[in-house]
Amino acid sequence: KLVHPHTYEKLGFDIILERTARYVSGPEAKGRCLQLKPTDDAETLLSELKRVAEAKDIREFEDHFPGGHFIAIDPILEKLQIEGDYLATRQLHQFLNWLKSIKQIRDYLKKKQELYPLMAELANELPFSEKIIPLIDGIFDNYGNIADKASPQ
């Protein structure tokens, strides 16, 4: 089916997206939220509604949901793709904190998998190996500076 682009605006879908985007963390998430498109696939719709219900329940009923280091990660990931480029100390530390937050969320949702199976599944789809965390963490001291032991020189 081809739907005229203005149909979504007439139905208020753009307003729903704008209101929803107010609740997300960070500019990247907001951008992704604003790019959402309606679906006419009932199975997809029901699955997403269940996932939203789980997220809402977490927000309403869980006191200690982890994840406080959600920075704009895309620029850091883009920089890592450039051969010969490297991250500044601050960027590497931000990246480390982001990885730790993702790990904490995964661990939390793994423990609560029976309550939030779709959110746990979503967290496990994030493509990174947790083995990198101690490798990067070993570079820093307790203050987020490069530790003296980080390099043999």
Side-chain angles (χ1 to χ4, degrees):
K1 296 181 198 177
L2 184 60
V3 179
H4 194 277
H6 297 292
T7 303
Y8 299 130
E9 288 179 30
K10 288 180 182 178
L11 293 173
F13 192 74
D14 57 329
I15 294 169
I16 293 169
L17 290 180
E18 288 173 18
R19 287 184 181 172
T20 304
R22 292 180 197 161
Y23 294 98
V24 300
S25 299
E28 292 161 347
K30 184 175 184 172
R32 289 184 183 116
C33 181
L34 293 172
Q35 295 298 317
L36 291 172
K37 301 289 182 217
T39 181
D40 61 358
D41 178 29
E43 189 176 321
T44 300
L45 181 61
L46 289 174
S47 176
E48 290 301 315
L49 284 173
K50 288 177 185 176
R51 189 176 297 177
V52 167
E54 286 183 14
K56 183 176 177 269
D57 286 348
I58 289 170
R59 190 175 172 138
E60 287 182 7
F61 304 118
E62 300 293 336
D63 292 333
H64 303 289
F65 186 76
H69 291 93
F70 288 111
I71 56 151
I73 195 71
D74 283 351
I76 291 174
L77 295 176
E78 289 170 11
K79 193 169 185 177
L80 288 171
Q81 297 292 323
I82 301 170
E83 188 174 335
D85 208 346
Y86 60 91
L87 298 179
T89 303
R90 184 173 157 266
Q91 291 172 314
L92 186 59
H93 198 258
Q94 288 175 324
F95 182 60
L96 173 64
N97 287 332
W98 181 82
L99 290 171
K100 286 179 177 181
S101 292
I102 298 300
K103 182 181 181 332
Q104 289 171 348
I105 291 169
R106 278 183 172 173
D107 292 346
Y108 179 90
L109 290 170
K110 187 175 183 178
K111 291 177 191 169
K112 304 267 186 169
Q113 190 163 2
E114 287 187 31
L115 286 172
Y116 310 117
L118 296 174
M119 294 301 291
E121 178 183 315
L122 183 63
N124 285 325
E125 289 175 3
L126 294 169
F128 86 92
S129 171
E130 295 175 3
K131 294 176 184 175
I132 194 170
I133 294 172
L135 298 173
I136 298 173
D137 205 15
I139 295 171
F140 294 101
D141 64 16
N142 293 337
Y143 304 103
N145 299 314
I146 301 293
D148 291 337
K149 63 181 168 98
S151 174
Q153 298 175 344

